[in-house]
Amino acid sequence: MSLQQEVEALKKDKNAVILAHNYQRPEVQDIADFVGDSYGLSVKAKETSADIIVFCGVDFMAETAAILNPDKKVLMPSMEALCPMAMLLGVDELRSIQNSNPAADTVLYVNTHARAKAYADCICTSSNAVEVVSAMDSDSVIFGPDINLAHYVGKRVSKKIISAPKHGFCPTHHLIEPQDVEDARKKHPNAVLAVHPECQPGVQDMADYIGSTAGIIDYTQKSDACEFIIGTENGIIHRLKKLSVDKKFYPACDMTVCPTMKTVTLEKVRDSLWDEKDAVEVPGGVAEKARAAIERMIDIVGKS
Ligand code: 13P
Ligand code: SF4
């Protein structure tokens, strides 16, 4: 039996569903029931009737699925799949910024840990950050941990954005420099540039399109252009090529790889389904508060 067949058999046997992020290894994406961005994966996790969710992504994504599904088992095939950006915002720092800005609402990027989410008024993903921040009542919003996404939002809303922490960013996206884009444009003069809002402001300013991973996929599918320079984690290229076979995709920078995302392998997915260990657990009180903030985001997006 091939590894793929083993995974399929275990999945059926255990009434499990496999959710995978757009940055996952090609073979992991190909075995998944749903591949998507952070927002799409949260919604799928909420809707599933499976007993077990195998989450092929990083810690904060699996945690979000577990928070939305307190009665289901959410498995992380790799315990090394930890998002370094999510580690940047500690509760003490967040509480101190909140105490200094009592009138501000707090919107946290989904790339945070549950214990920080528990102190947020609302969560956002890159696909809805502008919408969520605009929906807050107050004129100032504490936003974190990504300063690059904060820059993207700040340019599109008429509210004061207070970054928490001051200099948080994704080490993978931050690697892409404007010079990389210029070099890629010289090599591919007919290509349009689609980037993630986790990229530096200088890269965002050069882009034809800025959006979440699902947004980038949708944009390239609908665009009349035939060639694209992609400014996000390079795992997305597999999906882009699969969905638009006649189009060409070039990474803006060859080094844009999220190492922890790649710790999830097909073998680990099989083992995870087999022994069911490493289920994500979020303490009840934290989960309840974080769930309210995540569901508020889903409500805001649903109403728009
Ligand atoms: P998306 O929500 O766009 O999939 O992004 C998640 C992420 O971690 C980007 O680095
Ligand atoms: Fe975290 Fe960046 Fe990896 Fe996304 S690409 S999971 S933000 S480290």
Side-chain angles (χ1 to χ4, degrees), residues 91-118:
V91 169
D92 290 347
E93 184 168 10
L94 177 61
R95 297 297 288 148
S96 146
I97 295 168
Q98 287 175 323
N99 288 336
S100 308
N101 297 279
D105 282 310
T106 299
V107 174
L108 292 187
Y109 193 22
V110 69
N111 300 38
T112 43
H113 290 146
R115 50 189 182 275
K117 285 188 177 80

Side-chain angles (χ1 to χ4, degrees), residues 23 172-173 176 194-196 199 211 213 216 230-236 240 251-253 256-257:
Y23 298 158
T172 298
H173 284 82
I176 309 173
V195 310
H196 196 278
C199 289
T213 55
I216 291 173
I230 301 298
T232 189
E233 208 276 347
N234 293 341
I236 197 173
L240 291 166
C253 166
T256 322
V257 175

Side-chain angles (χ1 to χ4, degrees), residues 23 58 60-61 83-85 111 170-173 198 233 258 260-261:
Y23 298 158
V58 288
F60 71 83
M61 298 177 180
C83 169
M85 181 158 66
N111 300 38
C170 159
T172 298
H173 284 82
E198 285 180 20
E233 208 276 347
C258 175
T260 69
M261 278 273 178

Side-chain angles (χ1 to χ4, degrees), residues 184-193 208 219 223-229 248 250:
R185 277 188 162 155
K186 270 188 204 133
K187 273 197 219 156
H188 310 289
N190 297 322
V192 296
L193 175 68
D208 299 291
Y219 172 76
S223 168
D224 292 334
C226 300
E227 292 180 72
F228 301 86
I229 297 165
K248 291 206 163 72
Y250 314 108

